[in-house]
Amino acid sequence: MSGSSLRSFEYLESLPGTVFNRLYQQPSTALAIFRRMLTHLAKNFVMAMLYIGHPLSVADLESWVRPDSRRERDQAINLLERLHILRVTADPGKSRAYTITNPFLGSLRLALTGGGNHNSFGVPCNTPDKNPISVAELDEYARRQWESVLGYMVGSAGASLVDEGVRLSDGVKKLLKDGGLVKQRLSKAEITQEGFAFILQEVNAQVWTVLIYYLDAAEEMNMDSVDVLSFLFMLGSLELGQDYSKATLSPTQLQMLDDLSDFGIVYQHAATSSRFYPTRLATTLTSDSGALRSASAGFDNALRSPDGKGFIVIETNYRVYAYTTSQLQIAILQLFTRLSTRYPNMVAGKITRESIRHAVAMGITSEQIISFLTTHAHPQMRKNNPILPATVVDQIRLWQIEGERMKATPGFLFKDFLTAADYEACSKYAEEIGVSVWKNENRRMFFVTRYEQVAAYLKNRPKKITGN
């Protein structure tokens, strides 16, 4: 699951079942979650059960998967249950069976076959726009707006990087601050550790991160969070370059258009206009990972050089050369590098103890710095193995840990198993599904990053087992 899918999935997972019932009434939402949130095996389960018309026994469903793929099967079923798509029925005298929940079943059928008057996939305008906008113009608008958001975040490293033709609203700045991406220090905004991690993400993941913050703030803005989320899924189903009517939108959705315009997610000639255009940032919201990569290539990522290649060269003496003219790239580099010289197509500087400790004081970690340098390394650097000089990588880590000695990992502790066999079976299962972080065999306890699948495994074990 891609980073953007994971972020949106974690938000959906926190919602109660009643919210899913409302969400799934919209065919566009059901189709978006089917396309974006489900694994290939989970999609196969849904499609196989979509038209059978009766519950499918647990034994029959499990027989579809090879015995050596039990882990993938359990993950797929667990995912479907957590998204309230699949539920278990247990009628008296009958074996346990799986069934697809309603209204997801009906909405997905409607989305796949068409029909109805739900307007879930937007209403294209039936009159031509007097001032039509081309796809190239939409891409440029989205790029300019989004780069201005990123420029505001890293602008503390130098002059303001917000495009002169773009005015970031107070709502955008407040959202970035409330989301922990920037913090206010004296009279200017300063990027945080979370903000730098945000900068390192690909564009679609960045957009979803901001939208999750927007959803969290919906109640404060007197907006229905379900209506907000449904509209976001609808935007992901629209066609790039097509103009859509505002006539069928709710008051909440009309307010969202103004807010999303600030981020470049939608375009409208004016707030009073009767139509709007989704940009590429919107139409890729619910695309799969392959489509995301190709769609994101439609406009330049702010963190890539114009030719799409890396631009950073690092020497063993900590000297850094960046072949770029992008003010945004230079500002990001300046967060952890002491720049000394600037040429028309290159800047030069040095990674020092002071520059790294300054970055660490802002919340940026050594791993984030190393990740950025590796991701944007010049093609000549990529001929080396490892890509970055080992002395530089080790020293960056050492400079950070001068003031740090511990690392916290959030998670859940399972303990108090009655027998060693019970402990070993559950601990092995946690390792198989990739959530185990630490274990102590003598004390019969282990620590995991996620508990849902382990808890489901415990539930299906004999009743003599207990775990917390």
Side-chain angles (χ1 to χ4, degrees), residues 78 185 206 213 224 347 416 439 446:
N78 182 263
R185 177 167 294 185
Q206 292 175 346
Y213 294 146
D224 183 356
V347 294
D416 298 335
K439 66 179 182 179
F446 60 90

Side-chain angles (χ1 to χ4, degrees), residues 211-273:
L211 292 179
I212 296 301
Y213 294 146
Y214 188 83
L215 282 162
D216 290 337
E219 185 175 346
E220 181 183 336
M221 296 183 291
N222 297 319
M223 301 170 72
D224 183 356
S225 59
V226 176
D227 200 10
V228 172
L229 192 53
S230 296
F231 186 60
L232 295 178
F233 284 128
M234 186 197 82
L235 288 176
S237 68
L238 302 184
E239 180 182 349
L240 182 65
Q242 173 67 53
D243 53 338
Y244 292 86
S245 172
K246 294 183 181 180
T248 59
L249 301 183
S250 68
T252 291
Q253 294 170 344
L254 290 173
Q255 180 183 341
M256 286 181 64
L257 284 180
D258 294 335
D259 297 333
L260 297 181
S261 296
D262 292 335
F263 290 100
I265 297 174
V266 297
Y267 172 84
Q268 47 186 351
H269 294 300
T272 56
S273 176

Side-chain angles (χ1 to χ4, degrees), residues 186-365:
L186 299 178
S187 59
K188 65 179 181 180
E190 189 173 272
I191 194 169
T192 63
Q193 176 181 341
E194 291 76 14
F196 194 77
F198 173 87
I199 291 290
L200 296 179
Q201 296 174 345
E202 48 95 12
V203 175
N204 192 265
Q206 292 175 346
V207 174
W208 263 114
T209 299
V210 168
L211 292 179
I212 296 301
Y213 294 146
Y214 188 83
L215 282 162
D216 290 337
E219 185 175 346
E220 181 183 336
M221 296 183 291
N222 297 319
M223 301 170 72
D224 183 356
S225 59
V226 176
D227 200 10
V228 172
L229 192 53
S230 296
F231 186 60
L232 295 178
F233 284 128
M234 186 197 82
L235 288 176
S237 68
L238 302 184
E239 180 182 349
L240 182 65
Q242 173 67 53
D243 53 338
Y244 292 86
S245 172
K246 294 183 181 180
T248 59
L249 301 183
S250 68
T252 291
Q253 294 170 344
L254 290 173
Q255 180 183 341
M256 286 181 64
L257 284 180
D258 294 335
D259 297 333
L260 297 181
S261 296
D262 292 335
F263 290 100
I265 297 174
V266 297
Y267 172 84
Q268 47 186 351
H269 294 300
T272 56
S273 176
S274 61
R275 67 187 72 216
F276 71 94
Y277 291 81
T279 70
R280 202 178 297 271
L281 293 178
T283 58
T284 58
L285 281 174
T286 57
S287 301
D288 57 30
S289 57
L292 278 177
R293 285 192 289 270
S294 60
S296 294
F299 57 91
D300 290 338
N301 186 325
L303 300 184
R304 294 177 186 164
S305 56
D307 58 2
K309 299 178 180 179
F311 58 93
I312 298 175
V313 174
I314 306 176
E315 298 179 339
T316 54
N317 60 0
Y318 309 104
R319 295 288 300 177
V320 177
Y321 304 92
Y323 294 88
T324 180
T325 58
S326 168
Q327 294 300 313
L328 182 57
Q329 292 171 344
I330 293 172
I332 294 173
L333 197 62
Q334 196 171 354
L335 292 173
F336 55 85
T337 306
R338 182 172 62 82
L339 299 182
S340 56
T341 310
R342 179 172 299 198
Y343 300 99
N345 66 336
M346 185 191 76
V347 294
K350 190 173 185 178
I351 294 177
T352 67
R353 180 174 180 268
E354 290 71 24
S355 66
I356 294 298
R357 295 194 67 176
H358 174 71
V360 170
M362 295 172 62
I364 301 171
T365 67

Side-chain angles (χ1 to χ4, degrees), residues 1 33-48 64-65 72-73 75-77 79-80 288-290 293:
M1 188 178 291
I33 290 179
F34 174 82
R35 291 171 58 192
R36 184 165 186 78
M37 304 297 174
L38 303 187
T39 62
H40 290 298
L41 185 57
K43 290 178 182 177
N44 286 333
F45 286 160
V46 171
M47 292 305 298
W64 294 350
V65 182
E72 289 78 7
R73 181 199 68 202
Q75 287 179 333
I77 293 174
L79 175 62
L80 292 171
D288 57 30
S289 57
R293 285 192 289 270

